[in-house]
Amino acid sequence: MAADHPLVRLETLALIAVGGFAGSNLRLFAMELLADVPSIVLVNAVGSAVLGFLVYEAEYTGHIGSQTRTVFATGFLSSLTTYSTFALQTAFAAGPLTIGGIVTANYGLGFAGVLVGRALARRLGASRPTGGETA
Protein backbone atom coordinates (compact mmCIF):
# COMPACT_ATOMS: atom_id res chain seq x y z
CA MET A 1 0.00 0.00 0.00
CA ALA A 2 1.07 3.56 -0.63
CA ALA A 3 0.44 4.50 3.01
CA ASP A 4 3.16 2.08 4.09
CA HIS A 5 5.76 3.73 1.89
CA PRO A 6 8.65 5.26 3.91
CA LEU A 7 8.15 8.68 2.29
CA VAL A 8 4.52 8.75 3.43
CA ARG A 9 5.64 8.03 6.98
CA LEU A 10 8.30 10.73 6.67
CA GLU A 11 5.69 13.19 5.43
CA THR A 12 3.49 12.36 8.42
CA LEU A 13 6.39 12.95 10.81
CA ALA A 14 7.18 16.26 9.09
CA LEU A 15 3.54 17.39 9.41
CA ILE A 16 3.52 16.55 13.11
CA ALA A 17 6.85 18.36 13.59
CA VAL A 18 5.61 21.53 11.88
CA GLY A 19 2.42 21.54 13.93
CA GLY A 20 4.31 20.74 17.12
CA PHE A 21 6.77 23.56 16.53
CA ALA A 22 3.96 26.08 16.11
CA GLY A 23 1.94 24.77 19.08
CA SER A 24 4.83 24.68 21.54
CA ASN A 25 5.91 28.18 20.56
CA LEU A 26 2.38 29.52 21.02
CA ARG A 27 2.29 27.93 24.48
CA LEU A 28 5.62 29.59 25.32
CA PHE A 29 4.22 32.91 24.11
CA ALA A 30 1.14 32.46 26.34
CA MET A 31 3.39 31.66 29.31
CA GLU A 32 5.29 34.89 28.74
CA LEU A 33 2.06 36.93 28.69
CA LEU A 34 0.37 35.40 31.74
CA ALA A 35 1.42 33.79 34.98
CA ASP A 36 2.22 30.06 34.81
CA VAL A 37 -1.04 28.54 36.07
CA PRO A 38 -3.46 30.84 34.17
CA SER A 39 -1.48 30.43 30.95
CA ILE A 40 -1.63 26.64 31.16
CA VAL A 41 -5.34 26.68 31.99
CA LEU A 42 -5.88 28.99 29.01
CA VAL A 43 -3.93 26.90 26.48
CA ASN A 44 -5.52 23.68 27.74
CA ALA A 45 -9.05 25.13 27.51
CA VAL A 46 -8.52 26.74 24.09
CA GLY A 47 -6.75 23.65 22.78
CA SER A 48 -9.63 21.47 23.98
CA ALA A 49 -12.16 23.72 22.24
CA VAL A 50 -10.24 23.62 18.96
CA LEU A 51 -9.76 19.85 19.27
CA GLY A 52 -13.49 19.41 19.89
CA PHE A 53 -14.21 21.43 16.76
CA LEU A 54 -11.69 19.54 14.61
CA VAL A 55 -12.77 16.09 15.76
CA TYR A 56 -16.44 16.86 15.25
CA GLU A 57 -15.79 18.29 11.79
CA ALA A 58 -13.59 15.34 10.81
CA GLU A 59 -15.88 12.63 12.16
CA TYR A 60 -19.33 13.97 11.32
CA THR A 61 -18.98 16.23 8.32
CA GLY A 62 -15.85 14.91 6.65
CA HIS A 63 -14.66 18.42 5.78
CA ILE A 64 -11.32 18.02 7.52
CA GLY A 65 -8.91 15.59 5.93
CA SER A 66 -6.37 13.23 7.42
CA GLN A 67 -3.34 15.47 6.84
CA THR A 68 -5.09 18.48 8.39
CA ARG A 69 -5.98 16.43 11.46
CA THR A 70 -2.39 15.22 11.68
CA VAL A 71 -0.94 18.74 11.58
CA PHE A 72 -3.44 20.33 13.95
CA ALA A 73 -4.57 17.59 16.35
CA THR A 74 -1.43 15.48 16.71
CA GLY A 75 1.14 18.21 16.07
CA PHE A 76 -0.16 21.67 16.95
CA LEU A 77 -2.75 20.98 19.66
CA SER A 78 -0.80 18.28 21.45
CA SER A 79 2.13 20.69 21.73
CA LEU A 80 -0.04 23.68 22.64
CA THR A 81 -1.82 21.87 25.45
CA THR A 82 0.21 20.30 28.19
CA TYR A 83 -0.83 17.68 30.68
CA SER A 84 2.68 17.38 32.09
CA THR A 85 2.93 21.05 33.09
CA PHE A 86 -0.58 20.92 34.55
CA ALA A 87 0.41 17.85 36.60
CA LEU A 88 3.64 19.50 37.75
CA GLN A 89 1.87 22.73 38.75
CA THR A 90 -0.67 20.67 40.70
CA ALA A 91 2.06 18.70 42.49
CA PHE A 92 3.83 21.89 43.58
CA ALA A 93 0.67 23.82 44.52
CA ALA A 94 0.66 25.47 47.94
CA GLY A 95 -2.38 23.79 49.45
CA PRO A 96 -5.52 21.74 48.93
CA LEU A 97 -7.61 24.71 47.79
CA THR A 98 -5.04 25.67 45.16
CA ILE A 99 -4.74 22.06 44.02
CA GLY A 100 -8.53 21.79 43.72
CA GLY A 101 -8.68 25.05 41.77
CA ILE A 102 -5.98 24.00 39.30
CA VAL A 103 -7.53 20.58 38.71
CA THR A 104 -11.06 21.95 38.43
CA ALA A 105 -10.01 24.74 36.06
CA ASN A 106 -8.01 22.47 33.75
CA TYR A 107 -10.50 19.61 33.56
CA GLY A 108 -13.65 21.72 33.81
CA LEU A 109 -12.62 24.31 31.24
CA GLY A 110 -11.05 21.63 29.04
CA PHE A 111 -14.29 19.64 28.96
CA ALA A 112 -16.32 22.81 28.46
CA GLY A 113 -13.96 23.73 25.63
CA VAL A 114 -14.63 20.45 23.85
CA LEU A 115 -18.38 21.05 24.16
CA VAL A 116 -18.03 24.62 22.85
CA GLY A 117 -15.91 23.45 19.91
CA ARG A 118 -18.43 20.75 19.07
CA ALA A 119 -21.33 23.20 19.33
CA LEU A 120 -19.53 25.65 17.06
CA ALA A 121 -18.86 22.93 14.48
CA ARG A 122 -22.52 21.88 14.61
CA ARG A 123 -23.68 25.45 14.19
CA LEU A 124 -21.35 26.05 11.26
CA GLY A 125 -22.35 22.71 9.75
CA ALA A 126 -26.04 23.58 9.96
CA SER A 127 -25.47 26.86 8.09
CA ARG A 128 -23.60 25.23 5.18
CA PRO A 129 -25.56 24.65 2.01
CA THR A 130 -25.92 21.02 1.03
CA GLY A 131 -24.75 19.76 -2.33
CA GLY A 132 -22.60 21.54 -4.88
CA GLU A 133 -18.90 22.15 -4.77
CA THR A 134 -17.02 22.98 -1.61
CA ALA A 135 -13.92 25.13 -1.45
Side-chain angles (χ1 to χ4, degrees):
M1 289 181 81
D4 292 333
H5 193 278
L7 290 179
V8 173
R9 289 189 203 134
L10 183 60
E11 178 187 29
T12 300
L13 291 174
L15 289 171
I16 293 169
V18 168
F21 176 80
S24 60
N25 277 286
L26 184 57
R27 178 172 17 112
L28 179 63
F29 179 71
M31 291 179 76
E32 290 175 355
L33 290 178
L34 301 171
D36 284 348
V37 172
S39 66
I40 297 306
V41 170
L42 176 68
V43 297
N44 286 344
V46 169
S48 295
V50 174
L51 185 61
F53 178 83
L54 284 174
V55 167
Y56 186 84
E57 282 288 305
E59 291 293 321
Y60 299 107
T61 67
H63 291 115
I64 295 179
S66 175
Q67 288 182 325
T68 303
R69 283 193 316 258
T70 298
V71 170
F72 287 104
T74 306
F76 180 77
L77 293 173
S78 66
S79 293
L80 173 67
T81 60
T82 173
Y83 182 81
S84 58
T85 303
F86 154 54
L88 190 62
Q89 288 173 342
T90 304
F92 288 121
L97 192 57
T98 305
I99 291 170
I102 292 171
V103 171
T104 301
N106 274 283
Y107 283 125
L109 292 174
F111 182 68
V114 169
L115 296 177
V116 166
R118 184 181 71 174
L120 178 62
R122 283 181 175 169
R123 177 171 281 198
L124 291 175
S127 66
R128 290 186 189 120
T130 57
E133 286 189 20
T134 58

